Structures are given as C-alpha cells and as structure tokens.
Amino acid sequence: GESVGLHLPTLSVQEGDNSIINCAYSNSASDYFIWYKQESGKGPQFIIDIRSNMDKRQGQRVTVLLNKTVKHLSLQIAATQPGDSAVYFCAEKTGGDSSYKLIFGSGTRLLVRP
Amino acid sequence: DAGVTQSPTHLIKTRGQQVTLRCSPKSGHDTVSWYQQALGQGPQFIFQYYEEEERQRGNFPDRFSGHQFPNYSSELNVNALLLGDSALYLCASSWDREAGAFFGQGTRLTVV
C-alpha cells in the first residue's frame, strides 16, 4: 500500500555531532524518495533526493542511504548545527514530473542541543 | 521571484462555514498541488490542478474542491467545515528536477 513511515518521532543531538534520521517504506515498487526539512511556520523545503537505482547520494553535509532489501532509507546530517533544528520528512514521489504526487511520512523532530 | 505564495496565512472559521484559500505558484510553473497537514503529521495530498482541470485527487471528500485560473493561480474551497479540518494547508507548484516541489508557507486554518 501507499505508506511511508518513520521510526522515531524526536531525535535530540549535541551540536557538532552527526544525526541520523530513519524512514521505512512499504511499497517495493517505490523508486524515488525525497527528504524534506520543515521549520516552524514554513512549508517543507527540499533537502536531497535519491532514486531506487542508487544506494547512496551525498549533498552538502547530508547523505541519503537507500536499502531496497529492507525498504529503508536514512538521512545523515554531518556536524549538526542549531539551524538544522526542524522536522524532517521522508516522502515518496509517484507519477511523472508533470503529474507527480508526494506521499509523506509522519516526520521526525530534530532538536540540536548547544 | 517570490516563489509559491499563499493567502491568508492564518484563518479562523466556525464549524459549518465555508472557506477559500489561495495560492500563486512559482513564476513559470503551471501545476498546483494542495496538501493538508494536521498537527504533528506529514502533509497529505488533496488534489492537483493543471490547465485549469483537476488532474488527480487524494482521499478527500467532495467538500474539498478547487479551481485553477488561466494565470495558474489556484483556490482551495472547503464546505461545511468540521473541527477535523483544522490544519496547515500547503500549496506546491510544478516539479523541478533540481529542487523538487516548491512549497508555500501554508495557510493555518482553525475551525472552532
């Protein structure tokens, strides 16, 4: 079925440490995943995406890992900063670019301790 | 470029009333999607408009309807409001292969 879910609702990390946010999905046919960051009072903001033909993708201080065998993906944030405090969502994109739909998980709140 | 803009930012309505929310997509984008985000939850897809037609719809009742204008802006209408309709309503524009979907800041609807 269509569902994307997260393991932990809240993650608290020390500033400077690395953060890992996990996400499980149920549809083995899913082929495109995106991580979004949502700060208080704002809409979701694109962080990084990954297609199912990849296991890993890196951006600036972020890495997304995809394990298709266990239908799991994770977002790693290196050297976590106070500005990283937000709610993070994994989402699956279905449909083509012109008729896409995003299926979101319920989110993980990341709290960065000074 | 103002990005995706939504209005109003906050709204309080009484149960049973009707509400209209507005969205202007990012310049050059012709598709508008609407999402409902309940407190503590991820956004849920309501419907998508393209060329002034509803292209696809999520699992929402007919009380939720929409419209897209020739300038690509869009409205979301909700009739017979229920307390459970209280949520943040987000608008997203066309998919960008480099940056994904651009979201507006949302309209916070409170039904009392």
Side-chain angles (χ1 to χ4, degrees):
Chain A
E2 295 184 339
S3 69
V4 180
L6 297 178
H7 293 307
L8 297 173
T10 304
L11 176 65
S12 179
V13 299
Q14 191 74 36
E15 180 179 355
D17 286 352
N18 296 333
S19 302
I20 300 176
I21 301 171
N22 296 304
C23 179
Y25 62 95
S26 60
N27 185 359
S28 57
S30 301
D31 66 356
Y32 190 179
F33 300 93
I34 309 102
W35 281 99
Y36 280 92
K37 172 185 181 182
Q38 187 174 25
E39 297 174 280
S40 181
K42 296 184 179 180
Q45 178 185 4
F46 176 93
I47 302 173
I48 191 168
D49 59 358
I50 189 167
R51 290 192 176 274
S52 60
N53 60 354
M54 304 172 71
D55 298 323
K56 178 180 180 179
R57 190 158 189 229
Q58 289 184 291
Q60 186 177 11
R61 283 200 306 118
V62 295
T63 301
V64 55
L65 300 177
L66 176 62
N67 185 330
K68 295 177 286 294
T69 302
V70 296
K71 291 184 282 188
H72 179 273
L73 68 158
S74 65
L75 176 70
Q76 300 178 2
I77 304 173
T80 311
Q81 302 170 359
D84 295 326
S85 292
V87 177
Y88 290 81
F89 295 97
C90 64
E92 175 194 351
K93 173 179 173 282
T94 65
D97 288 354
S98 61
S99 60
Y100 76 96
K101 180 172 74 173
L102 295 171
I103 302 168
F104 285 84
S106 56
T108 293
R109 181 175 299 279
L110 177 64
L111 300 175
V112 182
R113 304 189 305 272
Chain B
D1 183 1
V4 179
T5 58
Q6 294 186 242
S7 63
T9 54
H10 296 84
L11 202 53
I12 300 175
K13 288 287 189 178
T14 303
R15 190 171 46 184
Q17 285 188 316
Q18 179 265 345
V19 68
T20 298
L21 311 181
R22 297 176 176 82
C23 170
S24 292
K26 186 174 171 64
S27 178
H29 288 194
D30 55 10
T31 300
V32 172
S33 302
W34 287 92
Y35 290 80
Q36 180 195 65
Q37 185 176 20
L39 196 61
Q41 302 292 320
Q44 297 220 347
F45 177 79
I46 303 175
F47 43 53
Q48 182 182 77
Y49 276 83
Y50 173 72
E51 290 189 343
E52 303 179 49
E53 297 282 334
E54 183 182 292
R55 168 180 276 164
Q56 54 180 326
R57 188 180 183 92
N59 189 25
F60 278 80
D62 292 344
R63 298 186 298 108
F64 289 78
S65 63
H67 187 78
Q68 186 177 33
F69 298 94
N71 67 353
Y72 307 133
S73 67
S74 176
E75 290 182 347
L76 164 65
N77 301 291
V78 187
N79 294 322
L81 284 166
L82 303 174
L83 297 179
D85 295 330
S86 295
L88 180 68
Y89 288 85
L90 295 161
C91 168
S93 63
S94 303
W95 184 261
D96 182 299
R97 291 194 171 185
E98 297 297 321
F102 290 90
F103 282 87
Q105 84 285 358
T107 294
R108 171 72 63 187
L109 172 65
T110 303
V111 182
V112 297

